[in-house]
Amino acid sequence: MRAFSFVISAGCENHGLARLADDGNAMTVLKKFHIALVGLPGSGKSTIGRYLAKRWSMPFVDVDVAIEEHIGCTIRDFFAKEGEARFRDVEQQVLAALLARPEKTVVATGGGAVLKAENRQELAGHAQVVYLSASPHEIAKRLQRDTQRPLLQVDNPLQRLLDLHAIRDPLYKEVADFVVAGSGLSAAQVAQRVAMQIELGQHS
C-alpha cells in the first residue's frame, strides 16, 4: 500500500459518522480528489460507488460502462473479437481520460485495471484509492448466475477468482490508500465503512 494508507477496523463504522457527514469543510477537501474503487469483479465497486457519489454529491462513473460507450458494444463481445490485451489498452485510455477530468468523480474501476503499471500510476497520481477486499468464495456465490464478466465464463468460476486474487491482491494493495474488508457485510455496511474511512482521512 502507498504511504499513510491503513486498513479500517471492524465495529467502529458508526462513531462520528453523522458529524463528519455534516462537516462542510471536510466535503470541500474531499472534492479536491477523485475517489477510485478497486477490487475483484463482483466486490461491489459499482454499488458502493453510487452510494458514495450520492452521499457526497459527486458524479459517478463505472469504467466498464464508459468503455462500452466508447467501443459501441459489450465488453464480453469485445473480448471475444479483440482479446484481452486489446481490451486492456482501451481500458487504459478510458481510465486516463476519466482521471484527467477537472470535476472530481467517484470512479468504479474494472477488476483488472491494476494489471497495467500505467493505470496504477494514474490512480496513484490522481485519486484516493480504496481497495474493496472481498473473499473469492463469497464473490463466487454472488456471481453464480453472472453471464457478463468474460473472465468468469469458465467451468470453475471460483478457481478463476482464486487465481485472479492471487495475482491482483498485491497490486490492489500497492495502489490503495485504504483497504476495506467486506467479507460477511452487506453492501450498505461496506459503503458506510468506506465513507467513514475517507471522511476521517480528511481530518488527519
Side-chain angles (χ1 to χ4, degrees):
M1 287 185 288
R2 290 190 277 164
F4 51 81
S5 61
F6 49 102
V7 180
I8 190 167
S9 59
C12 61
E13 56 263 29
N14 291 319
H15 297 293
L17 196 58
R19 178 181 60 81
L20 287 171
D22 293 333
D23 191 328
N25 292 331
M27 293 303 98
T28 299
V29 175
L30 176 67
K31 292 183 182 180
K32 293 182 179 179
F33 307 95
H34 295 294
I35 304 296
L37 305 178
V38 302
L40 286 173
S43 58
K45 299 183 294 292
S46 296
T47 299
I48 291 164
R50 291 187 185 94
Y51 170 94
L52 297 174
K54 182 177 180 181
R55 179 185 183 90
W56 296 324
S57 299
M58 294 171 68
F60 169 75
V61 175
D62 183 319
V63 174
D64 284 348
V65 173
I67 290 171
E68 291 184 337
E69 292 174 352
H70 178 73
I71 61 180
C73 65
T74 67
I75 289 174
R76 182 177 181 178
D77 287 346
F78 191 86
F79 250 77
K81 295 175 183 177
E82 303 289 341
E84 183 176 358
R86 176 61 182 139
F87 170 77
R88 296 300 173 197
D89 290 341
V90 174
E91 181 179 50
Q92 179 186 344
Q93 296 167 9
V94 171
L95 180 61
L98 290 172
L99 293 177
R101 288 180 175 180
E103 185 177 21
K104 300 315 176 188
T105 303
V106 178
V107 178
T109 67
V114 296
L115 293 173
K116 290 181 77 77
E118 295 88 346
N119 290 342
R120 299 197 300 275
Q121 292 168 1
E122 288 287 333
L123 288 165
H126 296 93
Q128 286 193 321
V129 182
V130 181
Y131 170 23
L132 300 179
S133 177
S135 161
H137 291 82
E138 288 191 11
I139 294 175
K141 291 179 181 177
R142 189 182 307 158
L143 299 182
Q144 58 185 338
R145 293 181 176 84
D146 179 82
T147 61
Q148 298 304 311
R149 293 172 171 85
L151 292 179
L152 298 183
Q153 306 313 305
V154 294
D155 292 336
N156 190 340
L158 172 58
Q159 187 58 53
R160 175 60 61 86
L161 283 164
L162 289 169
D163 293 342
L164 292 177
H165 184 265
I167 295 168
R168 297 177 182 181
D169 180 66
L171 301 177
Y172 294 140
K173 290 177 178 176
E174 174 189 326
V175 77
D177 294 297
F178 311 113
V179 178
V180 178
S183 294
L185 301 177
S186 68
Q189 289 172 317
V190 176
Q192 189 181 44
R193 287 189 174 193
V194 173
M196 187 191 73
Q197 186 77 85
I198 293 176
E199 289 167 5
L200 284 174
Q202 305 310 313
H203 288 257
S204 60

